[in-house]
């Protein structure tokens, strides 16, 4: 006999797995950036302290940016948990599709009259529908979480812009504070781009 | 294409051999599957790998109602023995899989849940099928560390897993061993390499010599019958095993 025909359906799930890999890569990149913001904020706090009264506002904003970086890290950890769960669901779909397709091939070879095959196919279709349902629910949760993170990053953007304004009042430290606030704005823009990519990814193709 | 051959029948008590598939892809080792049937119950011995599931299912369905499958006997854990487990369970979720206790937590990687597996203790056990009392016979380290064969005292058939296996050339595609001397040349290298323990081999030879066997049915190659069974046991007892070459 020939080995079971190569199946088209699992390749769709394979692309869903590739999508999860892409999502994970974006999450990793955002986590690394959040870590960088945290360090930058710590440096900014020290710089503001050295600048004294002229940089009081800048110091407050640096503290807020540090908190923002910590919140962002937490958000990304929960996103990563979701994608880990989705790997399990996608794998379940791949296995079910493969099993159903091989069973179908066996049924074709055996003829339609074999007892029990209709029930077996019905059970398989039901399990597949359940697994697809779970994956769809995960996809929705992931999208909602990305939107929530986007709102958080908007706040980060506002903080970075305010820091830039405060830097202008930094007296002799103004150029250094301006440089730090520009760096904040750049990394937050980078996070925004990553979140846009994440927002476009779909674990389930319609 | 695989076909089921009836190798024993006494009323409702039958043994089917789904053996020697000349049309399977060359990169897969050829395997034999056996079905023991009694009344309205059937047991499938070493159902084989995922790749050959459609052929085995189809051959089995041609000769018996697959919904009568009550269980699967897995002599050991290898992929060519039991990697199709998930597919059989896809067809019949309540199937029981009898296998050495040693593999009870390994085989679920192929499929099945806690309720699927019936662990066979090291000394073996009785497996009831219809009115039959099949005996799981210990064959540990031949070649797997948790390994059993299946003996049907009524039919006098011993399913011997990898023991007795021969990697036969395509021109020797017969179901039964016809010329023992010619046949055993194709079994020698396999047994030397795959059977790891001389002591386990001697134990097995003594154990099965006490059984009344008309047919010894291996998982690869042709079936031994009549005097060839004892001839094989004697040959195996004298063979140096657990060696790369020589």
């Amino acid at each position: 006999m020939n080995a079971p025909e190569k199946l088209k359906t699992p390749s769709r799930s394979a692309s869903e797995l590739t999508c999860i890999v892409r999502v994970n890569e974006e999450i990793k990149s955002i986590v690394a950036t959040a870590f960088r913001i945290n360090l930058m904020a710590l440096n900014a706090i020290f710089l503001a302290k050295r600048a004294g009264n002229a940089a009081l506002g800048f110091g407050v904003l640096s503290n807020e940016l540090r908190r923002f970086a910590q919140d962002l890290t937490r958000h990304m950890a929960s996103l990563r948990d979701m994608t880990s769960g989705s790997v399990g669901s996608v794998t379940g779909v791949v296995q079910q599709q493969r099993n159903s397709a091989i069973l179908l091939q066996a049924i074709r070879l055996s003829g339609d009259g074999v007892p029990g095959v209709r029930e077996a196919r019905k059970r398989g279709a039901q399990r597949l529908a359940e697994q697809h349902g779970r994956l769809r629910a995960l996809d929705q949760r992931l999208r909602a979480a990305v939107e929530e993170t986007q709102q958080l990053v908007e706040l980060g953007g506002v903080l970075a812009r305010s820091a830039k304004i405060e830097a202008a009042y930094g007296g002799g430290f103004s150029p250094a504070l301006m440089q730090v606030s520009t760096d904040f704005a750049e990394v937050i823009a980078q996070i925004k781009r990553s979140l846009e990519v994440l927002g476009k990814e779909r674990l389930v193709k319609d | 294409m695989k076909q089921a051959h009836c190798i024993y029948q006494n009323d409702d008590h039958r043994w089917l051999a789904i053996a020697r598939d000349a049309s399977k892809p060359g990169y897969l080792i050829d395997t034999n599957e056996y079905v023991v049937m009694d009344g309205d119950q059937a047991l499938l011995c070493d159902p084989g790998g995922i790749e050959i599931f459609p052929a085995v299912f189809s051959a089995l369905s041609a000769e018996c109602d697959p919904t009568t499958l009550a269980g699967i006997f897995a002599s050991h854990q290898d992929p060519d023995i039991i990697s199709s487990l998930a597919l059989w369970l896809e067809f019949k979720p309540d199937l029981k899989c009898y296998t050495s206790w040693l593999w009870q937590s390994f085989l679920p990687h192929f499929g099945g849940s806690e309720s699927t597996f019936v662990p066979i203790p090291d000394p073996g056990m009785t497996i009831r099928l219809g009115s039959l009392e099949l005996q799981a016979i210990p064959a540990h380290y031949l070649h797997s560390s948790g390994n059993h064969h299946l003996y049907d005292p009524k039919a006098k058939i011993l399913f011997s897993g990898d023991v007795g296996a021969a990697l036969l050339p395509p021109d020797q595609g017969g179901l039964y061993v016809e010329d023992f001397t010619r046949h055993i040349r194709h079994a020698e290298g396999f047994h030397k390499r795959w059977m790891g323990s001389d002591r386990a081999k001697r134990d097995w030879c003594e154990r099965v010599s006490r059984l009344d066997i008309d047919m010894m049915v291996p998982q690869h190659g042709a079936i031994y019958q009549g005097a060839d069974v004892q001839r094989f046991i004697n040959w195996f007892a004298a063979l140096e095993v657990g060696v790369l070459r020589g």
Side-chain angles (χ1 to χ4, degrees), chain A residues 1-4 6 96 98-100 102-103 105-107 109-110 114-117 120 123-125 127, chain B residues 1 21 23-25 27 50-55 57-58 61 65-67 86-87 89-93:
Chain A
M1 68 143 238
N2 292 322
K6 295 297 166 207
Q96 188 59 52
R98 180 174 157 83
N99 286 355
S100 298
I102 297 175
L103 188 63
Q105 199 186 348
I107 291 165
L109 280 174
S110 316
V114 178
V117 294
R123 272 196 308 272
R127 271 199 293 267
Chain B
M1 187 68 183
D21 183 6
S23 61
K24 61 139 195 63
Y27 57 84
I50 294 167
E51 295 287 316
I52 61 156
F53 171 81
F57 183 88
S58 156
S61 303
D65 174 352
T67 60
L87 294 162
L89 290 167
E90 185 79 20
F91 176 73
K92 200 150 188 271

Side-chain angles (χ1 to χ4, degrees), chain A residues 96 122-132, chain B residues 89-90 93:
Chain A
Q96 188 59 52
K122 205 171 152 188
R123 272 196 308 272
Q126 210 168 350
R127 271 199 293 267
L128 194 59
E130 283 166 11
Q131 273 154 342
H132 265 303
Chain B
L89 290 167
E90 185 79 20

Side-chain angles (χ1 to χ4, degrees), chain B residues 1-233:
Chain B
M1 187 68 183
K2 271 184 178 287
Q3 279 188 333
H5 305 271
C6 183
I7 56 171
Y8 171 87
Q9 176 149 24
N10 184 6
D11 291 331
D12 283 347
H13 179 195
R14 290 206 292 164
W15 271 75
L16 302 177
I18 302 170
R20 318 303 313 281
D21 183 6
S23 61
K24 61 139 195 63
Y27 57 84
L28 291 173
I29 189 166
D30 197 20
T31 57
N32 303 331
E33 295 73 34
Y34 299 94
V35 186
V36 194
M37 299 157 68
D38 190 56
D40 59 357
Q41 285 200 318
L43 180 82
L44 177 59
C45 302
D46 286 4
I50 294 167
E51 295 287 316
I52 61 156
F53 171 81
V56 175
F57 183 88
S58 156
L60 183 144
S61 303
E63 284 295 322
C64 81
D65 174 352
T67 60
T68 62
L69 267 185
I72 281 172
F73 174 81
S75 61
H76 60 286
Q77 84 292 4
D78 276 349
D80 65 322
I81 303 288
I82 188 67
S83 69
S84 62
L85 178 63
L87 294 162
W88 291 101
L89 290 167
E90 185 79 20
F91 176 73
K92 200 150 188 271
D94 59 344
L95 272 181
K96 294 289 173 202
C97 178
Y98 297 87
T99 194
S100 165
W101 68 273
L102 205 60
W103 305 121
Q104 203 182 351
S105 58
F106 289 74
L107 290 196
H109 284 279
F110 287 140
S113 60
E114 200 177 0
S115 64
T116 306
F117 298 94
V118 181
I120 305 177
D122 281 341
M125 67 182 272
T126 299
I127 298 171
R128 288 177 210 286
L129 182 80
S131 66
L132 303 178
E133 290 196 342
L134 304 170
Q135 303 297 321
I137 305 286
H140 309 303
Y141 298 102
L142 299 173
H143 66 92
S144 167
S145 45
N147 204 71
H148 289 94
H149 295 163
L150 191 72
Y151 177 60
D152 178 348
K154 224 167 160 184
K156 299 180 183 172
I157 294 176
L158 175 69
F159 168 60
S160 59
D162 278 325
V163 174
L167 306 176
L168 298 168
D171 64 329
Q172 288 186 46
L175 189 57
Y176 297 98
V177 174
E178 283 156 16
D179 178 340
F180 184 83
T181 311
R182 190 166 165 239
H183 171 88
I184 211 67
R185 283 203 296 266
H186 303 289
E188 190 174 329
F190 183 91
H191 286 78
K192 279 182 173 173
R193 179 67 196 255
W194 284 101
M195 305 302 154
S197 161
D198 200 55
R199 182 174 154 189
K201 180 200 72 175
R202 284 197 309 273
D203 281 355
W204 181 88
C205 289
E206 279 171 28
R207 195 174 303 119
V208 299
S209 289
R210 291 194 293 268
L211 302 174
D212 189 5
I213 304 171
D214 279 350
M215 249 187 266
M216 191 179 102
V217 298
Q219 198 233 346
H220 308 283
I223 293 170
Y224 302 81
Q225 47 178 352
D228 280 343
V229 174
Q230 193 56 48
R231 214 169 271 146
F232 173 81
I233 296 168

Side-chain angles (χ1 to χ4, degrees), chain A residues 140-174:
Chain A
Q140 278 170 1
R141 276 173 51 209
L142 186 72
R143 274 148 68 176
V146 168
E147 276 170 28
E148 210 176 297
T149 311
Q150 276 169 330
Q151 283 168 14
L152 177 75
V153 173
E154 280 301 324
L155 175 71
V158 171
L159 289 172
R161 277 196 297 278
S162 303
K164 215 169 192 174
I165 295 164
E166 285 296 327
Y169 301 103
F173 282 88
S174 187

Side-chain angles (χ1 to χ4, degrees), chain A residues 2-14:
Chain A
N2 292 322
E5 291 158 21
K6 295 297 166 207
L7 308 165
K8 286 187 180 128
T9 36
S11 69
R12 185 173 131 168
S13 294

